[in-house]
Amino acid sequence: IQTCMQVANEACLQMMNGYNGHHKLAVTERLERNDGSYTKNDEEKTEEFGRFYSKEVFGRTSPYDATALDEIQYRDIAYWLGTCPTYDEFIRHVNRAKRNKAAGPNGVKAEMVQLLDDGNLVLAYNFIRKFWTVPDFDMEEWHNVKLAPVPKTTKAKDYRPISLLDILSRILSSLIAERINEHRLKVGL
C-alpha cells in the first residue's frame, strides 16, 4: 500500500520528467512554497508538491448528515442496469471516445481502438463482455492509473491532476455512466 505522500511524489516525478499527456506542459523551473520562497531543485519540488497533496487533497474530510439517507425515496430495482452491454453499445462508445487524448499506462490511445477492424473490435468487446459476466475474470491493466499533474502556475495548489486510464476501461466507464444517466432521467433525478 502506497502512502498519500508516495503517490503525490510519484506524480510529481512523472510531471518533472516531461510527462504531460495531451496538455501543453507549463515550464516550472521552481515551485513556490507557502512561505513565499521557491524550491531549488527537483527533490525540493517533489517534497513541496507531496506535502500539499497529502494535506489538502488526500487529508481532507467533509462533514455530512447521515440522517439524510433516511429521506431518500425507495425506488424499484433497475435490473436492466446490470445487463451485459451489447456489441452495438460498445461500438457506440468506442466511436464516442475522444481523440487526441493521452493514453493510459499501456500506451493504447482511443484512435488505435477506433481503427481496429471488425474482427479485432469483437475481440475487444469480448474482454468487456467477459469482465461483465464472469465473476473471477479481471483485467489487471484496468486498475492501473497514471497520474499526470498539469501545472497552471508555480504554486502546488494550482496543479490540476488528471488520471490516465486504459482505453477499454474508459469505454466501459462511459457506457456505465450513460446507463446511470438514462436511469436518472427516467426516475426524475
Side-chain angles (χ1 to χ4, degrees), residues 139-170:
M139 294 292 293
E140 185 61 37
E141 296 82 12
W142 293 0
H143 299 283
N144 297 329
V145 175
K146 190 165 201 169
L147 182 65
V150 180
K152 293 181 179 181
T153 69
T154 60
K155 296 183 181 189
K157 70 181 181 91
D158 293 333
Y159 279 65
R160 180 177 58 89
I162 59 170
S163 299
L164 304 175
L165 307 168
D166 175 88
I167 184 61
L168 287 182
S169 70
R170 284 186 7 224

PDB file of all heavy atoms in Angstrom, residues 139-170:
ATOM      1  N   MET A 139      -9.294  -7.657 -15.404  1.00  0.00           N
ATOM      2  CA  MET A 139      -8.266  -7.088 -16.269  1.00  0.00           C
ATOM      3  C   MET A 139      -7.372  -6.221 -15.393  1.00  0.00           C
ATOM      4  O   MET A 139      -7.754  -5.096 -15.042  1.00  0.00           O
ATOM      5  CB  MET A 139      -8.898  -6.254 -17.390  1.00  0.00           C
ATOM      6  CG  MET A 139      -9.713  -7.052 -18.377  1.00  0.00           C
ATOM      7  SD  MET A 139      -8.725  -8.131 -19.382  1.00  0.00           S
ATOM      8  CE  MET A 139      -7.788  -6.952 -20.337  1.00  0.00           C
ATOM      9  N   GLU A 140      -6.222  -6.731 -15.021  1.00  0.00           N
ATOM     10  CA  GLU A 140      -5.304  -6.013 -14.137  1.00  0.00           C
ATOM     11  C   GLU A 140      -4.968  -4.624 -14.685  1.00  0.00           C
ATOM     12  O   GLU A 140      -4.855  -3.651 -13.944  1.00  0.00           O
ATOM     13  CB  GLU A 140      -4.023  -6.830 -13.932  1.00  0.00           C
ATOM     14  CG  GLU A 140      -3.068  -6.221 -12.935  1.00  0.00           C
ATOM     15  CD  GLU A 140      -3.637  -6.081 -11.527  1.00  0.00           C
ATOM     16  OE1 GLU A 140      -4.385  -6.959 -11.083  1.00  0.00           O
ATOM     17  OE2 GLU A 140      -3.321  -5.067 -10.874  1.00  0.00           O
ATOM     18  N   GLU A 141      -4.829  -4.518 -16.009  1.00  0.00           N
ATOM     19  CA  GLU A 141      -4.481  -3.239 -16.633  1.00  0.00           C
ATOM     20  C   GLU A 141      -5.521  -2.160 -16.341  1.00  0.00           C
ATOM     21  O   GLU A 141      -5.211  -0.979 -16.349  1.00  0.00           O
ATOM     22  CB  GLU A 141      -4.327  -3.392 -18.151  1.00  0.00           C
ATOM     23  CG  GLU A 141      -3.191  -4.292 -18.579  1.00  0.00           C
ATOM     24  CD  GLU A 141      -3.546  -5.771 -18.532  1.00  0.00           C
ATOM     25  OE1 GLU A 141      -4.746  -6.128 -18.394  1.00  0.00           O
ATOM     26  OE2 GLU A 141      -2.623  -6.588 -18.602  1.00  0.00           O
ATOM     27  N   TRP A 142      -6.757  -2.558 -16.102  1.00  0.00           N
ATOM     28  CA  TRP A 142      -7.813  -1.591 -15.864  1.00  0.00           C
ATOM     29  C   TRP A 142      -7.706  -0.957 -14.481  1.00  0.00           C
ATOM     30  O   TRP A 142      -8.381   0.017 -14.188  1.00  0.00           O
ATOM     31  CB  TRP A 142      -9.178  -2.239 -16.047  1.00  0.00           C
ATOM     32  CG  TRP A 142      -9.451  -2.629 -17.468  1.00  0.00           C
ATOM     33  CD1 TRP A 142      -8.625  -2.459 -18.549  1.00  0.00           C
ATOM     34  CD2 TRP A 142     -10.610  -3.268 -17.965  1.00  0.00           C
ATOM     35  NE1 TRP A 142      -9.211  -2.953 -19.676  1.00  0.00           N
ATOM     36  CE2 TRP A 142     -10.430  -3.468 -19.356  1.00  0.00           C
ATOM     37  CE3 TRP A 142     -11.782  -3.709 -17.395  1.00  0.00           C
ATOM     38  CZ2 TRP A 142     -11.382  -4.060 -20.161  1.00  0.00           C
ATOM     39  CZ3 TRP A 142     -12.729  -4.303 -18.203  1.00  0.00           C
ATOM     40  CH2 TRP A 142     -12.526  -4.469 -19.568  1.00  0.00           C
ATOM     41  N   HIS A 143      -6.887  -1.533 -13.628  1.00  0.00           N
ATOM     42  CA  HIS A 143      -6.700  -0.984 -12.281  1.00  0.00           C
ATOM     43  C   HIS A 143      -5.517  -0.021 -12.220  1.00  0.00           C
ATOM     44  O   HIS A 143      -5.306   0.624 -11.199  1.00  0.00           O
ATOM     45  CB  HIS A 143      -6.487  -2.108 -11.272  1.00  0.00           C
ATOM     46  CG  HIS A 143      -7.640  -3.054 -11.190  1.00  0.00           C
ATOM     47  ND1 HIS A 143      -8.808  -2.743 -10.525  1.00  0.00           N
ATOM     48  CD2 HIS A 143      -7.826  -4.288 -11.711  1.00  0.00           C
ATOM     49  CE1 HIS A 143      -9.653  -3.755 -10.635  1.00  0.00           C
ATOM     50  NE2 HIS A 143      -9.080  -4.708 -11.336  1.00  0.00           N
ATOM     51  N   ASN A 144      -4.745   0.043 -13.277  1.00  0.00           N
ATOM     52  CA  ASN A 144      -3.568   0.911 -13.298  1.00  0.00           C
ATOM     53  C   ASN A 144      -3.941   2.297 -13.798  1.00  0.00           C
ATOM     54  O   ASN A 144      -4.640   2.436 -14.790  1.00  0.00           O
ATOM     55  CB  ASN A 144      -2.476   0.327 -14.199  1.00  0.00           C
ATOM     56  CG  ASN A 144      -1.980  -1.003 -13.692  1.00  0.00           C
ATOM     57  OD1 ASN A 144      -1.974  -1.250 -12.500  1.00  0.00           O
ATOM     58  ND2 ASN A 144      -1.572  -1.862 -14.599  1.00  0.00           N
ATOM     59  N   VAL A 145      -3.450   3.288 -13.098  1.00  0.00           N
ATOM     60  CA  VAL A 145      -3.720   4.679 -13.447  1.00  0.00           C
ATOM     61  C   VAL A 145      -2.392   5.415 -13.472  1.00  0.00           C
ATOM     62  O   VAL A 145      -1.537   5.176 -12.636  1.00  0.00           O
ATOM     63  CB  VAL A 145      -4.649   5.343 -12.400  1.00  0.00           C
ATOM     64  CG1 VAL A 145      -4.837   6.815 -12.683  1.00  0.00           C
ATOM     65  CG2 VAL A 145      -5.982   4.637 -12.346  1.00  0.00           C
ATOM     66  N   LYS A 146      -2.248   6.278 -14.434  1.00  0.00           N
ATOM     67  CA  LYS A 146      -1.074   7.146 -14.452  1.00  0.00           C
ATOM     68  C   LYS A 146      -1.570   8.542 -14.111  1.00  0.00           C
ATOM     69  O   LYS A 146      -2.410   9.094 -14.805  1.00  0.00           O
ATOM     70  CB  LYS A 146      -0.411   7.121 -15.822  1.00  0.00           C
ATOM     71  CG  LYS A 146       0.921   7.804 -15.835  1.00  0.00           C
ATOM     72  CD  LYS A 146       1.696   7.444 -17.074  1.00  0.00           C
ATOM     73  CE  LYS A 146       3.155   7.700 -16.830  1.00  0.00           C
ATOM     74  NZ  LYS A 146       3.984   7.150 -17.865  1.00  0.00           N
ATOM     75  N   LEU A 147      -1.081   9.072 -13.007  1.00  0.00           N
ATOM     76  CA  LEU A 147      -1.483  10.403 -12.559  1.00  0.00           C
ATOM     77  C   LEU A 147      -0.533  11.415 -13.171  1.00  0.00           C
ATOM     78  O   LEU A 147       0.675  11.309 -13.034  1.00  0.00           O
ATOM     79  CB  LEU A 147      -1.438  10.480 -11.034  1.00  0.00           C
ATOM     80  CG  LEU A 147      -1.881  11.792 -10.410  1.00  0.00           C
ATOM     81  CD1 LEU A 147      -3.362  12.036 -10.697  1.00  0.00           C
ATOM     82  CD2 LEU A 147      -1.651  11.759  -8.909  1.00  0.00           C
ATOM     83  N   ALA A 148      -1.088  12.379 -13.875  1.00  0.00           N
ATOM     84  CA  ALA A 148      -0.279  13.412 -14.519  1.00  0.00           C
ATOM     85  C   ALA A 148      -0.731  14.775 -14.030  1.00  0.00           C
ATOM     86  O   ALA A 148      -1.800  15.252 -14.400  1.00  0.00           O
ATOM     87  CB  ALA A 148      -0.423  13.321 -16.037  1.00  0.00           C
ATOM     88  N   PRO A 149       0.048  15.402 -13.161  1.00  0.00           N
ATOM     89  CA  PRO A 149      -0.318  16.737 -12.694  1.00  0.00           C
ATOM     90  C   PRO A 149      -0.012  17.788 -13.760  1.00  0.00           C
ATOM     91  O   PRO A 149       1.066  17.796 -14.333  1.00  0.00           O
ATOM     92  CB  PRO A 149       0.547  16.934 -11.456  1.00  0.00           C
ATOM     93  CG  PRO A 149       1.688  16.009 -11.623  1.00  0.00           C
ATOM     94  CD  PRO A 149       1.238  14.897 -12.515  1.00  0.00           C
ATOM     95  N   VAL A 150      -0.980  18.628 -14.041  1.00  0.00           N
ATOM     96  CA  VAL A 150      -0.816  19.658 -15.060  1.00  0.00           C
ATOM     97  C   VAL A 150      -0.673  21.005 -14.340  1.00  0.00           C
ATOM     98  O   VAL A 150      -1.598  21.449 -13.663  1.00  0.00           O
ATOM     99  CB  VAL A 150      -2.033  19.691 -16.010  1.00  0.00           C
ATOM    100  CG1 VAL A 150      -1.873  20.763 -17.066  1.00  0.00           C
ATOM    101  CG2 VAL A 150      -2.224  18.329 -16.662  1.00  0.00           C
ATOM    102  N   PRO A 151       0.485  21.649 -14.464  1.00  0.00           N
ATOM    103  CA  PRO A 151       0.688  22.913 -13.753  1.00  0.00           C
ATOM    104  C   PRO A 151      -0.024  24.087 -14.419  1.00  0.00           C
ATOM    105  O   PRO A 151      -0.073  24.188 -15.631  1.00  0.00           O
ATOM    106  CB  PRO A 151       2.207  23.096 -13.818  1.00  0.00           C
ATOM    107  CG  PRO A 151       2.623  22.360 -15.033  1.00  0.00           C
ATOM    108  CD  PRO A 151       1.660  21.221 -15.206  1.00  0.00           C
ATOM    109  N   LYS A 152      -0.609  24.955 -13.587  1.00  0.00           N
ATOM    110  CA  LYS A 152      -1.213  26.191 -14.088  1.00  0.00           C
ATOM    111  C   LYS A 152      -0.333  27.383 -13.710  1.00  0.00           C
ATOM    112  O   LYS A 152      -0.253  28.344 -14.446  1.00  0.00           O
ATOM    113  CB  LYS A 152      -2.605  26.365 -13.492  1.00  0.00           C
ATOM    114  CG  LYS A 152      -3.592  25.322 -13.969  1.00  0.00           C
ATOM    115  CD  LYS A 152      -4.951  25.585 -13.353  1.00  0.00           C
ATOM    116  CE  LYS A 152      -5.950  24.565 -13.847  1.00  0.00           C
ATOM    117  NZ  LYS A 152      -7.264  24.792 -13.300  1.00  0.00           N
ATOM    118  N   THR A 153       0.278  27.315 -12.525  1.00  0.00           N
ATOM    119  CA  THR A 153       1.194  28.364 -12.059  1.00  0.00           C
ATOM    120  C   THR A 153       2.361  27.671 -11.362  1.00  0.00           C
ATOM    121  O   THR A 153       2.509  26.460 -11.469  1.00  0.00           O
ATOM    122  CB  THR A 153       0.508  29.321 -11.061  1.00  0.00           C
ATOM    123  OG1 THR A 153       0.259  28.620  -9.851  1.00  0.00           O
ATOM    124  CG2 THR A 153      -0.775  29.905 -11.623  1.00  0.00           C
ATOM    125  N   THR A 154       3.123  28.419 -10.599  1.00  0.00           N
ATOM    126  CA  THR A 154       4.251  27.836  -9.875  1.00  0.00           C
ATOM    127  C   THR A 154       3.871  27.363  -8.477  1.00  0.00           C
ATOM    128  O   THR A 154       4.731  26.919  -7.732  1.00  0.00           O
ATOM    129  CB  THR A 154       5.396  28.861  -9.748  1.00  0.00           C
ATOM    130  OG1 THR A 154       4.924  29.998  -9.034  1.00  0.00           O
ATOM    131  CG2 THR A 154       5.924  29.264 -11.109  1.00  0.00           C
ATOM    132  N   LYS A 155       2.594  27.422  -8.102  1.00  0.00           N
ATOM    133  CA  LYS A 155       2.163  27.014  -6.762  1.00  0.00           C
ATOM    134  C   LYS A 155       1.602  25.594  -6.800  1.00  0.00           C
ATOM    135  O   LYS A 155       0.868  25.239  -7.720  1.00  0.00           O
ATOM    136  CB  LYS A 155       1.109  27.972  -6.222  1.00  0.00           C
ATOM    137  CG  LYS A 155       1.652  29.375  -6.019  1.00  0.00           C
ATOM    138  CD  LYS A 155       0.627  30.279  -5.414  1.00  0.00           C
ATOM    139  CE  LYS A 155       1.251  31.663  -5.263  1.00  0.00           C
ATOM    140  NZ  LYS A 155       0.406  32.537  -4.489  1.00  0.00           N
ATOM    141  N   ALA A 156       1.943  24.810  -5.775  1.00  0.00           N
ATOM    142  CA  ALA A 156       1.482  23.416  -5.709  1.00  0.00           C
ATOM    143  C   ALA A 156      -0.041  23.327  -5.756  1.00  0.00           C
ATOM    144  O   ALA A 156      -0.596  22.421  -6.369  1.00  0.00           O
ATOM    145  CB  ALA A 156       2.013  22.738  -4.450  1.00  0.00           C
ATOM    146  N   LYS A 157      -0.737  24.272  -5.141  1.00  0.00           N
ATOM    147  CA  LYS A 157      -2.202  24.233  -5.113  1.00  0.00           C
ATOM    148  C   LYS A 157      -2.815  24.490  -6.481  1.00  0.00           C
ATOM    149  O   LYS A 157      -3.988  24.223  -6.694  1.00  0.00           O
ATOM    150  CB  LYS A 157      -2.751  25.227  -4.095  1.00  0.00           C
ATOM    151  CG  LYS A 157      -2.567  26.681  -4.482  1.00  0.00           C
ATOM    152  CD  LYS A 157      -3.110  27.604  -3.397  1.00  0.00           C
ATOM    153  CE  LYS A 157      -2.956  29.041  -3.788  1.00  0.00           C
ATOM    154  NZ  LYS A 157      -4.076  29.573  -4.492  1.00  0.00           N
ATOM    155  N   ASP A 158      -2.032  24.986  -7.415  1.00  0.00           N
ATOM    156  CA  ASP A 158      -2.552  25.300  -8.748  1.00  0.00           C
ATOM    157  C   ASP A 158      -2.265  24.209  -9.782  1.00  0.00           C
ATOM    158  O   ASP A 158      -2.420  24.435 -10.971  1.00  0.00           O
ATOM    159  CB  ASP A 158      -1.985  26.638  -9.233  1.00  0.00           C
ATOM    160  CG  ASP A 158      -2.490  27.796  -8.394  1.00  0.00           C
ATOM    161  OD1 ASP A 158      -3.591  27.685  -7.835  1.00  0.00           O
ATOM    162  OD2 ASP A 158      -1.779  28.806  -8.297  1.00  0.00           O
ATOM    163  N   TYR A 159      -1.856  23.032  -9.330  1.00  0.00           N
ATOM    164  CA  TYR A 159      -1.679  21.904 -10.241  1.00  0.00           C
ATOM    165  C   TYR A 159      -2.997  21.165 -10.340  1.00  0.00           C
ATOM    166  O   TYR A 159      -3.685  20.963  -9.351  1.00  0.00           O
ATOM    167  CB  TYR A 159      -0.601  20.958  -9.719  1.00  0.00           C
ATOM    168  CG  TYR A 159       0.803  21.407 -10.012  1.00  0.00           C
ATOM    169  CD1 TYR A 159       1.315  22.566  -9.450  1.00  0.00           C
ATOM    170  CD2 TYR A 159       1.615  20.677 -10.853  1.00  0.00           C
ATOM    171  CE1 TYR A 159       2.604  22.987  -9.710  1.00  0.00           C
ATOM    172  CE2 TYR A 159       2.908  21.081 -11.125  1.00  0.00           C
ATOM    173  CZ  TYR A 159       3.398  22.232 -10.546  1.00  0.00           C
ATOM    174  OH  TYR A 159       4.673  22.638 -10.813  1.00  0.00           O
ATOM    175  N   ARG A 160      -3.352  20.784 -11.541  1.00  0.00           N
ATOM    176  CA  ARG A 160      -4.591  20.036 -11.763  1.00  0.00           C
ATOM    177  C   ARG A 160      -4.220  18.620 -12.184  1.00  0.00           C
ATOM    178  O   ARG A 160      -3.717  18.401 -13.282  1.00  0.00           O
ATOM    179  CB  ARG A 160      -5.419  20.706 -12.863  1.00  0.00           C
ATOM    180  CG  ARG A 160      -6.723  20.006 -13.158  1.00  0.00           C
ATOM    181  CD  ARG A 160      -7.512  20.764 -14.193  1.00  0.00           C
ATOM    182  NE  ARG A 160      -6.796  20.942 -15.433  1.00  0.00           N
ATOM    183  CZ  ARG A 160      -6.825  20.089 -16.455  1.00  0.00           C
ATOM    184  NH1 ARG A 160      -7.515  18.984 -16.377  1.00  0.00           N
ATOM    185  NH2 ARG A 160      -6.158  20.336 -17.564  1.00  0.00           N
ATOM    186  N   PRO A 161      -4.441  17.643 -11.297  1.00  0.00           N
ATOM    187  CA  PRO A 161      -4.068  16.279 -11.672  1.00  0.00           C
ATOM    188  C   PRO A 161      -5.108  15.660 -12.605  1.00  0.00           C
ATOM    189  O   PRO A 161      -6.309  15.880 -12.452  1.00  0.00           O
ATOM    190  CB  PRO A 161      -4.034  15.544 -10.335  1.00  0.00           C
ATOM    191  CG  PRO A 161      -4.975  16.307  -9.465  1.00  0.00           C
ATOM    192  CD  PRO A 161      -4.938  17.735  -9.933  1.00  0.00           C
ATOM    193  N   ILE A 162      -4.634  14.913 -13.586  1.00  0.00           N
ATOM    194  CA  ILE A 162      -5.530  14.137 -14.428  1.00  0.00           C
ATOM    195  C   ILE A 162      -5.132  12.675 -14.315  1.00  0.00           C
ATOM    196  O   ILE A 162      -3.960  12.359 -14.131  1.00  0.00           O
ATOM    197  CB  ILE A 162      -5.526  14.597 -15.910  1.00  0.00           C
ATOM    198  CG1 ILE A 162      -4.135  14.494 -16.519  1.00  0.00           C
ATOM    199  CG2 ILE A 162      -6.084  15.998 -16.051  1.00  0.00           C
ATOM    200  CD1 ILE A 162      -4.102  14.701 -18.014  1.00  0.00           C
ATOM    201  N   SER A 163      -6.099  11.788 -14.380  1.00  0.00           N
ATOM    202  CA  SER A 163      -5.847  10.352 -14.304  1.00  0.00           C
ATOM    203  C   SER A 163      -5.937   9.765 -15.703  1.00  0.00           C
ATOM    204  O   SER A 163      -6.946   9.918 -16.380  1.00  0.00           O
ATOM    205  CB  SER A 163      -6.886   9.672 -13.409  1.00  0.00           C
ATOM    206  OG  SER A 163      -6.812  10.183 -12.111  1.00  0.00           O
ATOM    207  N   LEU A 164      -4.875   9.119 -16.115  1.00  0.00           N
ATOM    208  CA  LEU A 164      -4.838   8.488 -17.431  1.00  0.00           C
ATOM    209  C   LEU A 164      -5.123   7.006 -17.259  1.00  0.00           C
ATOM    210  O   LEU A 164      -4.379   6.298 -16.581  1.00  0.00           O
ATOM    211  CB  LEU A 164      -3.475   8.724 -18.082  1.00  0.00           C
ATOM    212  CG  LEU A 164      -3.076  10.199 -18.193  1.00  0.00           C
ATOM    213  CD1 LEU A 164      -1.665  10.326 -18.739  1.00  0.00           C
ATOM    214  CD2 LEU A 164      -4.061  10.961 -19.053  1.00  0.00           C
ATOM    215  N   LEU A 165      -6.210   6.547 -17.862  1.00  0.00           N
ATOM    216  CA  LEU A 165      -6.679   5.173 -17.696  1.00  0.00           C
ATOM    217  C   LEU A 165      -6.580   4.402 -19.009  1.00  0.00           C
ATOM    218  O   LEU A 165      -6.560   4.981 -20.091  1.00  0.00           O
ATOM    219  CB  LEU A 165      -8.145   5.182 -17.246  1.00  0.00           C
ATOM    220  CG  LEU A 165      -8.484   6.011 -16.026  1.00  0.00           C
ATOM    221  CD1 LEU A 165      -9.985   6.144 -15.883  1.00  0.00           C
ATOM    222  CD2 LEU A 165      -7.888   5.365 -14.802  1.00  0.00           C
ATOM    223  N   ASP A 166      -6.597   3.081 -18.897  1.00  0.00           N
ATOM    224  CA  ASP A 166      -6.658   2.208 -20.065  1.00  0.00           C
ATOM    225  C   ASP A 166      -7.902   2.554 -20.882  1.00  0.00           C
ATOM    226  O   ASP A 166      -8.971   2.803 -20.319  1.00  0.00           O
ATOM    227  CB  ASP A 166      -6.723   0.753 -19.586  1.00  0.00           C
ATOM    228  CG  ASP A 166      -6.910  -0.216 -20.720  1.00  0.00           C
ATOM    229  OD1 ASP A 166      -5.905  -0.647 -21.303  1.00  0.00           O
ATOM    230  OD2 ASP A 166      -8.091  -0.521 -21.037  1.00  0.00           O
ATOM    231  N   ILE A 167      -7.780   2.565 -22.197  1.00  0.00           N
ATOM    232  CA  ILE A 167      -8.891   2.993 -23.065  1.00  0.00           C
ATOM    233  C   ILE A 167     -10.113   2.078 -22.934  1.00  0.00           C
ATOM    234  O   ILE A 167     -11.244   2.565 -22.917  1.00  0.00           O
ATOM    235  CB  ILE A 167      -8.456   3.143 -24.544  1.00  0.00           C
ATOM    236  CG1 ILE A 167      -9.603   3.673 -25.414  1.00  0.00           C
ATOM    237  CG2 ILE A 167      -7.920   1.856 -25.100  1.00  0.00           C
ATOM    238  CD1 ILE A 167     -10.120   5.039 -25.025  1.00  0.00           C
ATOM    239  N   LEU A 168      -9.923   0.768 -22.797  1.00  0.00           N
ATOM    240  CA  LEU A 168     -11.100  -0.100 -22.655  1.00  0.00           C
ATOM    241  C   LEU A 168     -11.814   0.152 -21.334  1.00  0.00           C
ATOM    242  O   LEU A 168     -13.040   0.101 -21.271  1.00  0.00           O
ATOM    243  CB  LEU A 168     -10.719  -1.572 -22.796  1.00  0.00           C
ATOM    244  CG  LEU A 168     -10.385  -2.029 -24.217  1.00  0.00           C
ATOM    245  CD1 LEU A 168     -10.062  -3.523 -24.236  1.00  0.00           C
ATOM    246  CD2 LEU A 168     -11.516  -1.735 -25.195  1.00  0.00           C
ATOM    247  N   SER A 169     -11.074   0.462 -20.280  1.00  0.00           N
ATOM    248  CA  SER A 169     -11.751   0.783 -19.011  1.00  0.00           C
ATOM    249  C   SER A 169     -12.471   2.121 -19.126  1.00  0.00           C
ATOM    250  O   SER A 169     -13.536   2.311 -18.536  1.00  0.00           O
ATOM    251  CB  SER A 169     -10.770   0.783 -17.839  1.00  0.00           C
ATOM    252  OG  SER A 169      -9.884   1.859 -17.893  1.00  0.00           O
ATOM    253  N   ARG A 170     -11.912   3.055 -19.908  1.00  0.00           N
ATOM    254  CA  ARG A 170     -12.607   4.334 -20.127  1.00  0.00           C
ATOM    255  C   ARG A 170     -13.890   4.120 -20.919  1.00  0.00           C
ATOM    256  O   ARG A 170     -14.916   4.761 -20.655  1.00  0.00           O
ATOM    257  CB  ARG A 170     -11.687   5.316 -20.851  1.00  0.00           C
ATOM    258  CG  ARG A 170     -10.653   5.900 -19.948  1.00  0.00           C
ATOM    259  CD  ARG A 170      -9.795   6.997 -20.540  1.00  0.00           C
ATOM    260  NE  ARG A 170     -10.110   7.497 -21.834  1.00  0.00           N
ATOM    261  CZ  ARG A 170      -9.207   7.746 -22.791  1.00  0.00           C
ATOM    262  NH1 ARG A 170      -7.932   7.496 -22.585  1.00  0.00           N
ATOM    263  NH2 ARG A 170      -9.578   8.241 -23.945  1.00  0.00           N
TER     264      ARG A 170
END
